[in-house]
Amino acid sequence: VAIDLNADLGEGFGRWTLGDDEALLDVITSANVACGFHAGDPSIMRRTCAQAVERGVVIGAQVGYRDLAGFGRRRIDMAPPELTADVVYQLGALEAFARIAGGQVGYLKPHGALYNTAVVDAVQAQAVVDAVLAYDRALPILTLPRGVLARLAEAAGITVIAEAFADRTYQRDATLTPREQDRGVLHDAALIAERAVRIAVAGEVVAADGSTVRMHAASLCVHGDTPGAVEIARAVKQALTAAGVAVRSFV
Amino acid sequence: VAIDLNADLGEGFGRWTLGDDEALLDVITSANVACGFHAGDPSIMRRTCAQAVERGVVIGAQVGYRDLAGFGRRRIDMAPPELTADVVYQLGALEAFARIAGGQVGYLKPHGALYNTAVVDAVQAQAVVDAVLAYDRALPILTLPRGVLARLAEAAGITVIAEAFADRTYQRDATLTPREQDRGVLHDAALIAERAVRIAVAGEVVAADGSTVRMHAASLCVHGDTPGAVEIARAVKQALTAAGVAVRSFV
Amino acid sequence: VAIDLNADLGEGFGRWTLGDDEALLDVITSANVACGFHAGDPSIMRRTCAQAVERGVVIGAQVGYRDLAGFGRRRIDMAPPELTADVVYQLGALEAFARIAGGQVGYLKPHGALYNTAVVDAVQAQAVVDAVLAYDRALPILTLPRGVLARLAEAAGITVIAEAFADRTYQRDATLTPREQDRGVLHDAALIAERAVRIAVAGEVVAADGSTVRMHAASLCVHGDTPGAVEIARAVKQALTAAGVAVRSFV
Amino acid sequence: VAIDLNADLGEGFGRWTLGDDEALLDVITSANVACGFHAGDPSIMRRTCAQAVERGVVIGAQVGYRDLAGFGRRRIDMAPPELTADVVYQLGALEAFARIAGGQVGYLKPHGALYNTAVVDAVQAQAVVDAVLAYDRALPILTLPRGVLARLAEAAGITVIAEAFADRTYQRDATLTPREQDRGVLHDAALIAERAVRIAVAGEVVAADGSTVRMHAASLCVHGDTPGAVEIARAVKQALTAAGVAVRSFV
C-alpha cells in the first residue's frame, strides 16, 4: 500500500511569505507550486522548484485565476478559451523553472476557487482539460474524485489522481463539508493522522454523520499555512509509515 | 546576401489592441512576441504564436520589465536574480504557446527600457545572459551590436544576432539618436527602404552627421504600431527583394 | 423635457487607448470615468477629468472589478466587504482628480460585469450601495431602472438615475436583449436617434417583439469604442435637440 | 519637548500580512498607511484607517511606486507627470477611507525606493511636490531633513516634517549608512531608545565614526515588520516618556 502527500507551496509574493515551505518539503512527496497568477512570483518559483528537486519532491503546477488580490479564492466567470490560455501560460512558466532545476512538471492541480469550480462546472472544467490536452496530454490532473473535472479529464484520456483530505470532514455523498461549517476543518493531529491511515489502508473515511464513505485516494492533501500545520503533516506521515503505508509520489 | 526582418507583435492586453499583427506577419520573418509582463496576455500569445507558425515566421521572446502601466518603457532597478527569474518565467510561458502551435521559441529580444538598459548596464545585461544560460544556452539574443549585452552574451558563448534600425538615425559611434531628437525617427518609406538595402548590402549606414558608419546586421527591426508602419515595412521588404537580398530568418 | 447623455470615458491604460474621448466629450453631458480597476490609469484619469470640467461635462465614477485583463467584464465572486472597499477606493481616487480639475464626482455607475451583476444580485448590489452610503449618501447611482441595485439604492435613500440604451433592444419585461443575440445591438444611426427621442419624449421604447414598453429614463447611454460610435452619438444629440428635448446633466 | 513616532502600516495585500499593526498602533502617533501601489489593498486600508482613528493616531499617505512584486523598493524611471498622477491617485484613495473612518489624511510620506529617490533626485522629488501642490498644498511631507525633497517642498511653501531613525546609523554628513553595511541597522532596544532620546532632547546623534551630528527631527520612524520590532518601538516610547519628552503627533 502506498500514498502520496501533496501540499501547496511557493504561495508568497514579492515581500510577502506564506507557510513554511522548507519544513513541508521534508514531509511531502508532491509540491503544488503556485505559478504567479494567484500567488508565487518568478523568484519564488525558481527557489521552490530547486528545493523540491533537491529533495526528490515531485513538482506540480498549482494553477489559479489571475487574481493576486483575491489569492485565487474568488470565482471568475471566464470565457473557456481565456481560461485555457491562462492555464497553459502558468504551466509553461513553471516548466521553465522545473527544467532548470533538473526536474519537470509532473502534474496539474487547480487552486482555490478554480479547484472548487472545476469540480462542479463543466464549462470551466473542460477549459482546464483543454489546457492539458494542448500542453501535454500525458500530464495527470490531481483533483477531487467523482467531480466534474475528474469525469471530463478521464473522458479525454487524461490520468486523474484522486485526492482526499484527512483534515476535512465529508458528507455522505463524498463531497466536502464546507470549511465554514462546524467541524468543516479538523485540527487534532492524532485524529487527522488516524483518518489518513484509514483512507490509505481501507479506502474509506467516516463522514460527518457517522456513516462510512468509500474514499479511494492516491494522494492526501496536507496544509502548511496555518499554525500547527507542519506538525500535523508530520504526524500524518509518521502514522502512515507506522501503518506500513509507503509514502511516495504517484508519478 | 540575406537579412531577417523582425517586429514586435502581440502587444495588446485584454480589451486593448496595438498594431496590425496580421498585416505585419505577412512581411516579417521573425516575430518578437510580448510575454505578458509589459504587454501581451495568454490569449493573445496563443493566437500570435499560432499565426506566426502558420506563416513560417520565427517566434522570439520579447521579454520586458513587469510593468503593464508603463509598457515596459520605464527602467526598473531590479536585483539581478529577480530579473533573471522574470526573464526565465516569460521564456517558459511563451515556449508553451510556441510548442502547442507546433513551433518553438527561436530567440530572445529584450523590450523597451530593458533593451536600452541591457545595452549599457552590465549588471542587468548579465542578468539577461544568466536567464538564457539557465534556460537554454543555444538560444540566440537579438540586440544592438557592440552593446554591453552583445559583449557579455558572446563572452558566455551565446549567439548574438546584431540588429539594425532602418527607420532610426545613428550617431558617428553607431549608437542610436534618441527618439525625442529631431530626425531621431524617420518616416519617409522610400528613404527607410533605401537605408535598409544599404545596411543589408553594404553593411553601412549614413549617420546623422553625414558620416558613413559600419553597420553589420543580421536583422532589421520594423515597427507596426504607428500610422503607416505596415506600409513602410512592406516598402522595406520590397526594396530588399528588388536589390537581390533574401529576406529570411536568421535561425 | 430634458435628458442626460452619458458615455464611458478614460478607458485606456498606459500605452493603450480606447475610443475617441475628446469627440465624445463634445456630445455628452455626463462622463463615466474609469477609475483604474478595469481600465484607466492615474494619468488618463487626470487628463479626462480636466477635459470634462473644461467642457462642463459632469464626472461620474465608473467603478468596476479589479480585473484589467478582463476589462471588468467577468463577474468575480467577491465578498461584499471587499467589494464595498474596492468601490470606495475607486471613488476616492477619482475624486482627487475631479477636485484638482475644479470639479467633483457627481454620480456612480458600475461598469461591465459589475453593472450586470448589480442589476440581478442583491448581495453585490448591496455592497455597492454600502460603498455609496459610507462614502457620500448624496451621490446618485446611475443604473438600469427596476433592477436590484435600483431597488436597494432607493431603499437606502440614495438617488437613483434611470438609464436607457437607445442602441440596444429590450424585451417585453424591460430587460435588455443580450448583446450576442441577433439585433441585441443596433447600428443604424437614424433608428437609434429616433428611439432616443421616443424614450425622452414619450417615455417608451419598442421592444424586440414589437410591443411597446414603458421606459422612463433620466439618462441615455451612448457608446464610444466602436466604429461609427461618435457619429451615432452626434445623431442622437441632434435628433433630441431637434425634437425640443434639452440635453443636460441630471445633476 | 515633544516628538512624533511614525511607522509603516497596512502593508499586507490580500491573503498576505506584514507586521503587527494593532500592536504598533498602541505605540505610535502617526501611521504611514500603504495606499495600494506597493502594498495595501482597499480592505486593509479601510480597516487600518478605522483602527488609527479609534486610537487617535494620525493617518499619513505612504505613497509608493506601482510595484507590488517589488514592494516599491525598486526605483522606477517614471516621467514626472505620471509620478505626480500616481501620487495624487493614492492620496485620493486613502483620503476616502480616512474620511469614512472619521479622520483625514494628515501628511504624505514616500515609501521605499521613492523615499530614497526623492531625497537625491530633483526630478522625481519635484513630481512628488507637484502632487501635493495639486492635491492640497497644506499637506505636510515627512522626509529626511536636508534632502532634495525637503528643499524643493520648502521652496514650494509646503510644510516639511524632518524625520530621524533611531535604529539606523548616520554618516558624518547626516546621511544614512546603507542598510547592507555593518551596523547599518541597529537591533539593541536599549541603545536605540537611548539614541531616540538624544535626538528628541538634544537634537543630535552619534555618527558611525563616533562624531556627533546635528539631527533636528520632529518625528522618529520605528519599524514593525521585523522580529522584536514592536518591543523596540515600545522601549523607544517608554524611554522618551521617562526623559520627559511628550510623544505626540506633529499635526
Side-chain angles (χ1 to χ4, degrees), chain A residues 133-149:
Chain A
L133 290 178
Y135 183 76
D136 176 5
R137 53 180 64 235
L139 198 68
I141 295 179
L142 182 57
T143 183
L144 211 62
R146 286 175 264 182
V148 173
L149 177 55

Side-chain angles (χ1 to χ4, degrees), chain C residues 149-222:
Chain C
L149 177 56
R151 183 168 51 75
L152 292 177
E154 275 164 4
I158 295 168
T159 301
V160 171
I161 307 298
E163 170 179 52
F165 298 81
D167 64 351
R168 298 286 299 277
T169 61
Y170 284 87
Q171 300 298 301
R172 197 181 257 275
D173 65 353
T175 60
L176 291 165
T177 308
R179 284 178 169 278
E180 303 74 43
Q181 283 189 25
D182 189 34
R183 286 185 53 82
V185 182
L186 305 175
H187 301 285
D188 179 328
L191 174 61
I192 295 168
E194 183 198 310
R195 291 169 65 89
V197 171
R198 188 153 175 194
I199 292 170
V201 172
E204 62 187 29
V205 73
V206 177
D209 68 357
S211 63
T212 299
V213 174
R214 300 300 303 157
M215 184 55 58
H216 287 293
S219 185
L220 285 171
C221 183
V222 295

Side-chain angles (χ1 to χ4, degrees), chain B residues 210-222:
Chain B
S211 63
T212 300
V213 174
R214 301 299 304 157
M215 183 58 55
H216 287 292
S219 184
L220 285 172
C221 182
V222 295

Side-chain angles (χ1 to χ4, degrees), chain B residues 110 114-126 129 141-156 158 160-165 170 173-176 214-216:
Chain B
L114 182 57
Y115 185 96
N116 296 329
T117 300
V119 167
V120 297
D121 177 332
V123 174
Q124 293 215 0
Q126 187 62 45
V129 166
I141 296 179
L142 182 58
T143 183
L144 211 64
R146 287 176 263 181
V148 172
L149 176 56
R151 183 168 52 76
L152 292 177
E154 275 164 4
I158 295 169
V160 171
I161 307 298
E163 169 178 52
F165 298 81
Y170 285 87
D173 64 354
T175 60
L176 291 165
R214 301 299 304 157
M215 183 58 55
H216 287 292

Side-chain angles (χ1 to χ4, degrees), chain A residues 13 35-37 40-43 45-46 66 68 81-94 96-97 100 130 134-135, chain B residues 13 35-37 40-43 45-46 66 68 81-94 96-97 100 130 134-135:
Chain A
F13 186 77
C35 299
F37 269 42
D41 65 35
S43 297
M45 290 166 71
R46 183 171 194 180
R66 182 198 275 262
L68 288 172
E82 289 179 2
L83 179 53
T84 297
D86 277 12
V87 170
V88 169
Y89 185 97
Q90 294 176 69
L91 279 167
L94 183 64
F97 295 110
I100 69 181
D130 288 346
Y135 183 76
Chain B
F13 186 76
C35 299
F37 270 43
D41 64 36
S43 298
M45 290 165 72
R46 183 171 194 180
R66 183 197 276 261
L68 287 172
E82 290 179 2
L83 179 53
T84 297
D86 278 12
V87 171
V88 168
Y89 184 98
Q90 294 176 71
L91 279 167
L94 183 65
F97 294 110
I100 70 180
D130 288 346
Y135 183 76

Side-chain angles (χ1 to χ4, degrees), chain D residues 2-28:
Chain D
I3 202 156
D4 171 71
L5 287 184
N6 80 78
D8 293 347
L9 255 77
E11 296 195 312
F13 186 76
R15 173 75 176 82
W16 300 290
T17 53
L18 199 69
D20 186 348
D21 282 8
E22 297 225 50
L24 269 181
L25 276 167
D26 290 334
V27 178
I28 61 176

